[in-house]
Each structure stands twice: as C-alpha cells, then as structure tokens.
Amino acid sequence: MRKRRHNIGVDFGTVHTLVYADELGVVWNEPTAVAFDRTSGKRIAAGSKASMMYGKTHNAIDLIHPVEGGVISNLDASLSLLEHVFLQIESRKKILKGSSMVICCPSDTTEVEKQAVTALALRLGAVDVRLEESVKVGALGSGADIFSPEGFMVVDIGGGTSDAGILSLGDLVSSRSVKTAGLHIDREIVKYIRYTYNLAIGPRTAEQIKIHLGTLRKPPREEGYFTCAGRDLNTGLPKKLKVMQSEIRHLCVKAVRIIEQTAAEVLAAAPPEIASDVFRSSVVITGGGALIDGLQEHMEHALSLKVRTAPNPFTSVVDGSKILLESSESHPNRILRKSYRKNHT
Amino acid sequence: MAEEKKLGIGIDFGTTNLLVYVQGHGIIFNEPSVVAFDIESGEVIAGGEEAFKMIGKTHSKIKVSRPLRDGVISDMDAAKALLKYVFKRVQTLRSLKNSLCLICCPSEVTQIEREALKDLAHQMGISDTFIEEEIKAGAIGSGIDIYSPQAAMIIDIGGGSTDVGVLSLGDVVLSRSIRIAGNYIDREITNYVHKRHNLLIGPITAERIKNEVSTLLPNDKEKKIRISGRDLVRGLPSAAEVTSKEVFELLLPIFDEITNVVYSVLEQTPPELASDIVNNGIVIEGGGACIPGVKEYFEKTLGLSVRTAPEPLNAVVEGAKVLLKNKGSYLINPQD
C-alpha cells in the first residue's frame, strides 16, 4: 500500500487564509472569518460565507475575525476556523494524513498559541508541523534564494500588517512590521466619509471603495468614481454617495508613506554589505497591497531603489512554504515533531 | 422508528382579522377576529364574519367580543372560544395533539403576552408551539428571501399595531411596533365625524369610510361617501357626507407618527444594512398598504424606493406556511 506524503503550506493571515498542497495547488483561498451561533456556541459558517455576514448580523450570530493586526486575538475561534478549513479540504481530497505542514502564523504568536495550532494540525493527521514567520516565507515565495548569502529585501503589504524584511542565507537579518495595511486603509475610508460627508458606511462598503478606486497614480482628466450607500448621520436615513478617485488616492498615499518609512528603517538597520546587495538587485513588493495601482513607481521614487512586484503577490507565502518543504525533503536535517504527538496524545 | 409527520398549523391572530392555515387544507379561515356569545348560556353563537356583522347591533342577551386588542390577547376565554369555533369548521381535521403550531405576534409584545399565546395553543390541545414576529413571517410572505445577507426592511400596517423591522440572515436585526394602526384610524374617523358632522357613528361605519374614501394622495380625484348614524343634537337617525379630502387631512398626522417609528428604526440600522436598504427599497404590507397613495407617501418622506407586497392582507400567514418548515431557525432556509 503506497502512502503518498503530501506537503501542505498554510498562510493564516489577518484578512485571508490560503492553503496550498503539492500537485494540487491552492486548495483553499477564503477570508479569515468565522461565525458562531451565540446560544449554542456552534460554528455556523467560515470563510467566504462568514465574511459575507460582516455588518449584517442579528443578535443570534457572533461574527469573529480571529486575527487582528497580524496577531491571533481569539485562539478558540482561530482553531475552529482552521479545523473547518482542514475538514473541508479533507472531505474533497485526502491529503492531511501523514503530511508535512508549514503553517505561517502571524508574527508575535505566543508559545501557547503555537502549541495549540500545532496540536490541531497533528490531530487532523499531519505528521510534521512547522510554524514559520510569514514575512520570511513570503520572501522565499517572491524569489529569495534560501541558501545564498545575497541580501534580499521584501515588503509584504497584507491585510492586517505590512512587513518589511531583509533575508540572507534563508533567514531574516532585519525586519519591521506596522499595522498600516489593507484594513487600515478601509478604516481610513470609513473615517474620511464620516467626517467629510456625515455618512456612516459599513466595512464591506469601504473595502469595495478601496478595490474600485484605490490608486497612487495622479488621476487622469476623466476621474473615476464609485457610488456607495450608507446611513446619513444628520437625517438618520439611508443615502447614496458618489466618491471620487482623487479622494481615495489621498488616503492611499498617506498609508503608503508610512509603509515606505518602515522599509527605510529596515534598510537603515541592515549591515552595509547587505545594503549593497539590495542596492544592486531590487526591492520586491508582495501581498495584496502590492497590487495597488502605481505603488511600484511611488516606492521607487521614495526609496531611490529599484522596485519590482512579485509574480504572485497573493500566494507568495504559500509558494514560499512549498519551497521550504521541498528543500527540507532534499536536505533531511529537519527536526521531526513526532515527539509532539507522543507527549500530547 | 417511524417518522411522525406533525401537522403544521399557522395562525395569524390579528386584532382585526384572524387567518388560520392548516397544512394540507390551505387557509381554512380568513375572517374578522370577532366572536359572539349568548350571555346566559355562555355558548358561542357566531364567529368571524357573522359575529362581525353584529358589532354595535346587539341586544342585552348577546355579547360580542374582540379577543385581541392592539395585537395582544385581552380576553383569553373569547380567544379560545373563537379558535375552537374555527377548528370545528374543518370537519375532516384529525386531532390537534400531533401538531406543530406557529403563532405570529407583533414585535413589541412582552414575554408574558407571548406565554399567553402559547398557553392558548396548549389549551386547544396543541403540544408543540412556537411564536414568531409578524414582521418576519410577513417578509417571507411578501416574497423576500430573508435568509440571505441582504437586508430587507418591512413596514406592516395592521389593525392593532404597525410593525417596522429590518431583517437579514434569517432573523430580525431590529424592529419596533406602535399601537397606531387601522383601528386607531377608525377611532379618529369616529371622533372627527362626531365633532365635525355632529353625528355619532358605529365602528363598522367608521371602517367603511376608511375602506372607501381614504387616500394619501393630495391631488387625487375627490370621492364622497354617504353615511348614517345618530344625530347628536336631535337624537334621531341622520345622514352625512364624508369626503376623501377630509380623510386625507385626518390621515396625515397619523402617518406622521408611523413615519417617526420608521425613522427611529433607520437611525439604528447598521450602515451595511442601510446600504442594502438604499438599493433594495422597503416593502409595505398589511391592511394599511391598501390605502391609495401610501407607497408615494413613504417614498416622499423617506427618499427611498418603496413597493407594496403582492398580497398585503395574507402576507403574514403565507410566511407562516414557510416558517413551519424550519421551526423559525435562522440557519435553515426552508425554500431549499
């Protein structure tokens, strides 16, 4: 009986959760959200279905985003969501049993949380579980060479956090993280519309505005606009509003400046040899935020360095976990966590 | 284990009209919530339409009662008697013991009042009862899918109460009710005719005026109705004419009150749902939805698109049919 050992990579982000399995590609790509029935405590929806309920729930439903600002804020909800994700995958393709897994948790994950996530993966059939930092794995997925001593800089603009880091010889030399990212821009849009137009809009509406109008380029003569709806704070009545692209551009620029500042700090803390490597190669931007129109040019201008966008910004973390797992296979000096299973069963 | 299929019964026990739906038999009763007793024997002599006709015309040996006032049970015995009368009419009905009953109540009904409704069903021999807000049943009955994450807003102008609510994901997000509705309009009409035309009219006449000449359209063609009652000065029967313009003036402050309730619901609506309401509009149902111009009135005062339910008077019981399938759980979409 031939047992196929699968390599599985998990990117457990603030806004999105992605799971990759070798030979199958991305098997899960949905928002990091989970909904519970308040009375029974049972999980009623997870992923896209739960995310659709945001801002629209009645009293019987508890909608939780278990990762906030890159940190697990609700461990039970996180475990419940991961359990749902793994069970969903397992019901379609039997890959968990005997698999090697790399889970990229948010930064600053505590020991207790790491153990809990590891225990869950082991319980569901994985044999070898490693927890890694997203920015490092994302750098690998964006093209960093895991074994070479060439400095490689990556800026990962995600949903909850933007991380800037420089890798060399497969690990981080210098890194910083700020909570200015996708969700921050959404919240700024909500605030801006409230103060400027006295209109209260919901979080999903703000996200739609960002997706349609987010840009760093100076708007052409024919400016783009987006019609959104919310509640007028003066009259209390629902109302529609036309938002112009230039207004949103202004908010995006403010956010990107903070991210560029963070990148500059990372560069300043790097040893001079590595700085020289980065100068000769280029800074790579990845993550959902890398797709903001005009970001590459804006950053090039701010840092006076060459900037390129990763080929697959959304999946660079899971791509990196694939690389990690494959290189562990060919270099079997990895530490097997079988001991975890023995101690915790 | 043999599966016991429970007989589903849906009751819209309204202040004005009582509608009862029985699975397999359809809507078995759709008549006014009125019951008439013989005072000496205590027996029921008439119920529904027949008893309605007796209002204001009885002698001392007959008592006519409206078991519900403003949406809640005020006379438990009369309510029981009326329901017994209703069920007796369906001769082929088997015992009520194995049935699942859904009773719809207005939104701001207290826990004690809800218990009274459940108790009523128990006394009829029905063991399994659950209560739902009319607004939820009415929304489903108007054809809205309340189980999606799209908000739906309903204004239900009934006889005893007007309910306003926002629904999403299979349940009520927020709702309010006010006891200003059809019956209140009747009373205002009675007072008006009393003061203006010096004529005392009965409740049936007041309702006729409301049904035939009420309007909320300021520039509608004028309609007149000739009604009769007792002249206050001479004490003799007399007649008078009431125009739609007079009723229009009467309705404005009443609908002002209703609009205030709608405002108070909208003010508390979460912005994502408010955004849905801008796009999907509001649905009006209940008897009040039949007043000409009510749709235009709300569109003007709220600045939102408004539509009337296809069957305003039956919306609640139609929705109750559907709710019986999932026992009111917001997790199961009964249309699946």
Side-chain angles (χ1 to χ4, degrees), chain A residues 37 56 202 204-205 229 231 238, chain B residues 149 168-169 269 272 275-276 278 330:
Chain A
D37 175 85
K56 302 194 187 196
R204 291 178 59 86
T205 307
R231 192 179 76 227
Chain B
S168 156
L169 292 166
T269 308
E272 274 302 344
S275 155
D276 285 343
V278 168
Y330 70 91

Side-chain angles (χ1 to χ4, degrees), chain B residues 136-149:
Chain B
K136 189 166 150 189
I140 299 177
S142 310
I144 302 172
D145 177 10
I146 68 169
Y147 297 90
S148 77

Side-chain angles (χ1 to χ4, degrees), chain B residues 5 10 13 39 44 72 96 100 107 113-114 120 144 149 190 200 210 229 253 256-257 272 284 288 292 306 336:
Chain B
K5 186 92 197 286
F13 213 147
I39 290 186
V44 172
V72 291
L96 292 172
L100 167 67
S107 300
E113 288 160 342
R114 283 180 207 224
L120 174 64
I144 302 172
T190 311
L200 205 55
K210 176 180 75 181
D256 246 346
E257 279 297 319
E272 274 302 344
I284 319 188
V306 176
D336 292 335

Side-chain angles (χ1 to χ4, degrees), chain B residues 9-12 18-22 26-29 83 86-87 317:
Chain B
I9 302 178
I11 304 181
D12 172 12
L18 168 64
L19 288 95
V20 181
Y21 159 81
V22 176
I27 299 181
I28 62 165
F29 191 83
L83 277 184
V86 167
F87 283 116
V317 79

Side-chain angles (χ1 to χ4, degrees), chain A residues 210-237:
Chain A
K210 175 183 74 181
I211 292 174
H212 280 93
L213 298 181
T215 184
L216 289 162
R217 284 192 214 283
K218 290 219 163 37
R221 201 151 303 166
E222 279 255 4
E223 218 188 317
Y225 65 89
F226 183 78
T227 310
C228 67
R231 192 179 76 227
D232 184 311
L233 290 165
N234 287 332
T235 65
L237 296 174

Side-chain angles (χ1 to χ4, degrees), chain B residues 15-16 66 68-71 157-162 177-193 195 201-203 206-207 209-211 214 247 249-259 261 287-288 291:
Chain B
T15 307
T16 309
R66 288 207 121 146
L68 266 82
R69 297 225 62 191
D70 300 337
I157 306 175
S161 65
T162 296
S177 57
I178 184 177
R179 291 175 184 195
I180 290 183
N183 293 350
Y184 182 83
I185 297 177
D186 293 348
R187 287 198 288 271
E188 288 295 295
I189 291 178
T190 311
N191 289 341
Y192 172 81
V193 170
K195 273 197 281 225
I201 58 172
E207 201 183 345
I209 299 175
K210 176 180 75 181
N211 289 342
S214 62
V247 180
E249 299 292 330
L250 252 174
L251 287 175
L252 283 183
I254 295 177
F255 272 81
D256 246 346
E257 279 297 319
I258 295 178
T259 312
V261 180
I291 297 176

Side-chain angles (χ1 to χ4, degrees), chain A residues 72-92:
Chain A
I72 292 183
S73 65
N74 186 326
L75 183 58
D76 290 325
S78 298
L79 293 175
S80 180
L81 175 55
L82 285 173
E83 185 185 52
H84 172 92
V85 171
F86 290 141
L87 289 174
Q88 284 291 308
I89 298 172
E90 194 66 2
S91 68
R92 285 182 273 127

